[in-house]
Amino acid sequence: MADLKIHFHELDTDYSFHKLGYIFKSEVSDNCVSISNDYGSGKIHKFRLDDGLYIRIWNVDIYKALELIRIAHPQPYRKSFNLVFIFSPKNVIYRNDANKVIINFNRLKNVLFTSSDVTINFEIIPHNTIQAIDITLRADWLERIFPDAGPEFLALLKSMIESESPVTLMEPTTLEEYQALVELYSPDSTKELFIKSRVMFIISSFLSRITNREQNDLYSSASINYSQLMYLEDIITANIKKTLPPLEVIARKVNMSISSLKRHFKSLYNKNIYEYYLDKKMEYAKRLIIENEFNTNEVAGILGYDNVSHFIETFKKFHGVSPGSIHD
């Protein structure tokens, strides 16, 4: 449970940024929220680098559990994208808009690129430092700044801007991008011309990197399509008391190839779909025993096991004890 929840559509305008400072009960001066209270200590700087290009630089020690909730913009609304680099990935948890998909940032997945038409939650673990660079790129700015880019690059921009589905990617940071990001914490980071040069390099590098993929791969496997993931989660939950359908059936239902589904799921959860399904099934089994006081045979039956011994073996593998010993 978060001690502090902050809801916002955007943090680009002066009004929204001052509201952030107000919620933190902190002073806002020269586009900087200076925090020094029970919530934490540190600073959040905001810069408007161009019409449609904004950046926040976070460097805050968080003392209490914090949840940042970016609410999807209602339609119609001019589309924008956020490019978020997390320097302290182990301290941040990312949830999708239905709170069904939980993703822990890590050093191999510490960059989030998402469109403005979806709600996203960031949970900040207390008693840790949050260092992050948060860049907003409005769609019309992207079209204005890159009019003469290569055909693949322009095709990617057009696809993202015109897509009716939320666009979200999780990526690692390249060494060159990391070096440019670190420079934004240097003394020169108060100079807007310097900041803009670094930010332009980071944006160009990131977009060029994802452009080099095959277009179909970008949208069918590397991107996180919320409707697909939520549907997949529904399929897994609906079959907790049954046998999980074959992968080809699941892939067909979520409109993905089997290889893309396996690769994409593994990259997000660090386990395959069946392992994830068994995790949820065994956690549910434990709850049935503890909360409802069902015996081993009853739980095995509820979860669709014809062979009670197989259920006991699987339960013990996950929990280290047999189901019958839970209440002993």
Side-chain angles (χ1 to χ4, degrees):
M1 180 69 69
D3 297 306
L4 179 63
K5 287 190 176 184
I6 300 176
H7 296 77
F8 59 94
H9 284 297
E10 46 78 24
L11 294 174
D12 306 324
T13 63
D14 289 342
Y15 171 79
S16 61
F17 196 67
H18 276 77
K19 184 178 178 181
L20 176 66
Y22 174 79
I23 294 172
F24 267 117
K25 299 181 179 179
S26 300
E27 178 185 349
V28 181
S29 177
D30 295 327
N31 285 318
C32 176
V33 176
S34 299
I35 304 169
S36 181
N37 52 40
D38 291 341
Y39 292 124
S41 64
K43 294 183 177 182
I44 308 168
H45 292 274
K46 177 178 79 76
F47 298 92
R48 178 184 181 276
L49 302 178
D50 199 355
D51 182 22
L53 177 63
Y54 309 87
I55 179 175
R56 271 87 39 199
I57 302 175
W58 300 67
N59 191 10
V60 182
D61 293 325
I62 298 296
Y63 302 152
K64 295 188 176 183
L66 170 65
E67 188 171 356
L68 298 170
I69 305 167
R70 202 282 305 279
I71 304 169
H73 272 303
Q75 298 297 332
Y77 191 86
R78 56 186 177 184
K79 199 167 191 175
S80 63
F81 302 91
N82 278 93
L83 184 55
V84 183
F85 295 84
I86 307 291
F87 285 93
S88 46
K90 63 184 177 66
N91 302 334
V92 181
I93 298 171
Y94 160 62
R95 293 176 182 264
N96 81 332
D97 55 345
N99 287 329
K100 291 183 178 180
V101 178
I102 304 173
I103 303 169
N104 289 290
F105 283 95
N106 57 65
R107 62 186 179 85
L108 298 178
K109 295 284 183 181
N110 65 333
V111 183
L112 176 67
F113 180 75
T114 180
S115 52
S116 57
D117 49 0
V118 65
T119 295
I120 55 176
N121 293 26
F122 293 98
E123 295 182 8
I124 314 300
I125 300 173
H127 308 294
N128 281 292
T129 299
I130 175 67
Q131 289 185 311
I133 305 291
D134 169 23
I135 304 169
T136 299
L137 310 87
R138 223 169 51 213
D140 59 326
W141 179 84
L142 285 168
E143 292 174 316
R144 188 173 73 251
I145 295 300
F146 299 106
D148 301 319
E152 294 86 1
F153 190 95
L154 292 177
L156 173 70
L157 288 183
K158 179 179 174 64
S159 176
M160 292 192 304
I161 291 170
E162 296 181 357
S163 173
E164 294 182 1
S165 298
V167 177
T168 307
L169 300 172
M170 289 190 74
E171 292 285 320
T173 309
T174 66
L175 177 60
E176 293 78 10
E177 290 166 357
Y178 178 79
Q179 290 171 336
L181 289 161
V182 168
E183 290 177 1
L184 292 175
Y185 284 92
S186 72
D188 287 330
S189 64
T190 57
K191 302 174 182 177
E192 288 198 15
L193 187 60
F194 172 82
I195 295 172
K196 188 172 182 179
S197 69
R198 298 292 81 201
V199 169
M200 289 298 297
F201 168 79
I202 292 164
I203 293 170
S204 298
S205 173
F206 179 83
L207 292 178
S208 296
R209 183 150 51 95
I210 63 175
T211 301
N212 290 333
R213 299 177 180 155
E214 291 185 17
Q215 195 75 9
N216 290 336
D217 185 59
L218 177 64
Y219 282 92
S220 65
S221 61
S223 64
I224 303 171
N225 185 306
Y226 282 104
S227 60
Q228 287 173 306
L229 280 179
M230 285 188 284
Y231 189 25
L232 175 56
E233 187 78 20
D234 288 341
I235 292 170
I236 291 173
T237 301
N239 287 279
I240 287 295
K241 299 180 181 180
K242 308 173 188 176
T243 301
L244 191 67
L247 272 183
E248 55 266 27
V249 174
I250 297 174
R252 187 166 60 249
K253 286 185 175 182
V254 298
N255 196 29
M256 295 175 70
S257 69
I258 294 176
S259 60
S260 293
L261 175 62
K262 290 167 65 176
R263 182 172 66 252
H264 187 38
F265 195 92
K266 182 79 171 181
S267 73
L268 289 177
Y269 295 98
N270 292 319
K271 60 184 68 175
N272 64 42
I273 292 175
Y274 187 68
E275 290 169 336
Y276 181 77
Y277 161 77
L278 273 185
D279 275 349
K280 293 178 75 72
K281 196 178 186 84
M282 290 303 105
E283 283 302 320
Y284 183 54
K286 188 176 181 180
R287 290 207 315 272
L288 288 174
I289 295 170
I290 294 174
E291 297 173 9
N292 298 288
E293 298 187 353
F294 289 120
N295 63 39
T296 299
N297 288 345
E298 289 172 327
V299 174
I302 291 170
L303 296 181
Y305 283 91
D306 296 325
N307 188 324
V308 177
S309 296
H310 183 211
F311 165 67
I312 294 173
E313 181 184 346
T314 305
F315 188 96
K316 191 171 183 178
K317 179 181 177 182
F318 275 80
H319 297 298
V321 295
S322 65
S325 67
I326 293 291
H327 287 302
D328 293 346

